[in-house]
Amino acid sequence: VRVTSTDDLITRLRQAVQAQYQIPAQSVLVVWNDDTLEEKLVSWGRTAAVELTEQSLLNLIKKPQLTLRVMDGTKFRAMLSVNLKVDGWLDVSVLRQAVRPGELLSEEKIQIVRKKLSELPTGYLKLLEYPAEFKSNRSLPVGTILSSVLLERVPLVFKGTQIRVIVVNGNLRLAAQGEVLENGFRNQ
């Protein structure tokens, strides 16, 4: 993608973060401290533009600087580095109560809190729909942002359990006894 103005560049940065984190555009913040981008491009020629690649738009939250290629048509003109700060906000699951190792979560133990993207741990969980299907794999204090490395899913059915199997096809309904062959989780 090529852009010729600061506004276009900021729009592209916002769109990249919006897509990567699946958040609305109004939840993305771009702090830009180079108001002379257009002047720099004009100095390279009227048809100059900066080039953004998919790679350059990845993980913008962690980048203090963005290096852009200045192109004049198909001709490379220069490399341009710009300082920027990109961040945003996302609603995530946070502990309201401390939990011990092996303790099951519940709706009373978690809350949804708006956090900055730059503060989120790897594997964070946006919204924990069924908290009771997870247990902690370590002691976690109040205020912990829940992530996949801190929790373990608990099966809904366990191997060897006797169950009643019901198959419905139109007006036909068939019921039989069965046995669970392996532990099973929601939607498996």
Side-chain angles (χ1 to χ4, degrees):
V1 176
R2 291 190 180 178
V3 296
T4 57
S5 73
T6 303
D7 289 344
D8 288 344
L9 181 58
I10 290 172
T11 298
R12 295 294 181 169
L13 298 176
R14 182 173 273 117
Q15 289 170 345
V17 173
Q18 185 180 358
Q20 184 176 352
Y21 290 92
Q22 299 173 358
I23 57 176
Q26 64 268 21
S27 293
V28 180
L29 171 69
V30 178
V31 178
W32 179 266
N33 69 352
D34 186 351
D35 57 356
T36 62
L37 176 65
E38 286 88 354
E39 293 172 19
K40 290 176 183 175
L41 290 175
V42 168
S43 72
W44 277 305
R46 292 182 45 192
T47 57
V50 291
E51 189 174 79
L52 294 167
T53 63
E54 282 189 40
Q55 186 64 33
S56 66
L57 293 173
L58 288 177
N59 300 317
L60 287 167
I61 302 301
K62 309 262 190 245
K63 291 181 181 175
Q65 192 175 64
L66 191 60
T67 303
L68 307 167
R69 292 171 50 99
V70 179
M71 302 296 289
D72 189 358
T74 58
K75 183 180 174 188
F76 171 78
R77 295 298 303 244
M79 295 300 283
L80 175 65
S81 291
V82 292
N83 295 323
L84 61 108
K85 173 71 174 152
V86 180
D87 213 336
W89 293 270
L90 183 66
D91 293 335
V92 293
S93 299
V94 175
L95 282 179
R96 181 183 306 191
Q97 300 173 11
V99 294
R100 296 180 309 277
E103 186 177 344
L104 289 174
L105 297 182
S106 66
E107 290 195 21
E108 296 77 33
K109 292 179 185 172
I110 64 169
Q111 61 186 341
I112 305 304
V113 176
R114 182 158 282 209
K115 291 285 188 179
K116 289 171 83 174
L117 294 172
S118 58
E119 297 173 352
L120 296 178
T122 302
Y124 66 88
L125 300 172
K126 281 186 179 181
L127 305 173
L128 204 53
E129 276 190 272
Y130 303 101
E133 294 179 14
F134 292 88
K135 66 180 179 179
S136 170
N137 60 19
R138 61 189 79 168
S139 291
L140 301 173
V142 171
T144 300
I145 298 171
L146 296 178
S147 69
S148 56
V149 298
L150 302 175
L151 302 176
E152 187 178 314
R153 285 186 77 186
V154 177
L156 292 176
V157 294
F158 295 91
K159 181 178 179 175
T161 304
Q162 295 297 310
I163 58 169
R164 184 173 168 100
V165 179
I166 301 172
V167 177
V168 179
N169 187 356
N171 291 331
L172 180 63
R173 178 182 162 113
L174 178 63
Q177 284 298 111
E179 181 178 316
V180 177
L181 299 177
E182 60 184 52
N183 291 345
F185 301 92
R186 182 178 298 277
N187 297 326
Q188 278 190 315

